[in-house]
Amino acid sequence: QVQLAEAGGGSVQAGGALRLSCAASGYTNTRICMAWFRQAPGNEREGVATFDSVGRASYADSVKGRFTISKANAKNTLYLQMNSLKPEDPAMYYCAASRNWDCRPGRKADFAYWGQGTQVTVTS
């Protein structure tokens, strides 16, 4: 069973930075997609950044140029570096993984495995 565990959330002033991490375990298929989603109260869960099955990164327009997705394969860990945080960025951030290679960035239904989430707060 695939397990994902996020860490690194917290409170930061607007303009500041945070790095989220997601430790992954239990998967045998390495040709999968991994992604970060976020969900603010009252909003739909939205895709933030995705690695497809061949390692190409894609980003939501709202975070392009500010957020960077990366991974350390040796550690089975996914990261999200968030710079220049804005008041509209606070949310619960979730790590997600697909079952196989077939995924579309931002499409929740393509991701079968989810972490428990880590909260990000931005103060002005």
Side-chain angles (χ1 to χ4, degrees):
Q1 179 70 13
V2 174
Q3 293 187 320
L4 304 171
E6 302 95 336
S11 181
V12 64
Q13 282 193 322
L18 281 174
R19 189 174 81 153
L20 307 182
S21 63
C22 171
S25 62
Y27 62 87
T28 56
N29 181 3
T30 58
R31 199 171 167 219
I32 61 172
C33 307
M34 296 196 73
W36 289 97
F37 286 76
R38 67 184 180 186
Q39 187 170 17
N43 290 356
E44 292 286 326
R45 191 169 297 189
E46 62 175 357
V48 175
T50 302
F51 265 134
D52 69 11
S53 61
V54 293
R56 292 172 299 202
S58 60
Y59 298 91
D61 287 343
S62 58
V63 306
K64 278 181 182 176
R66 300 188 298 121
F67 290 12
T68 303
I69 189 171
S70 64
K71 55 185 175 178
N73 289 329
K75 296 181 181 179
N76 291 335
T77 302
L78 186 73
Y79 300 99
L80 184 69
Q81 178 66 43
M82 305 185 295
N83 297 330
S84 302
L85 282 159
K86 297 181 178 180
E88 56 264 37
D89 292 322
M92 187 72 81
Y93 282 71
Y94 297 91
C95 175
S98 63
R99 289 187 191 277
N100 53 41
W101 61 270
D102 186 14
C103 74
R104 278 141 287 187
R107 191 167 187 268
K108 297 187 297 291
D110 290 346
F111 292 85
Y113 305 106
W114 295 84
Q116 81 287 352
T118 186
Q119 182 69 44
V120 171
T121 302
V122 179
T123 60
S124 56

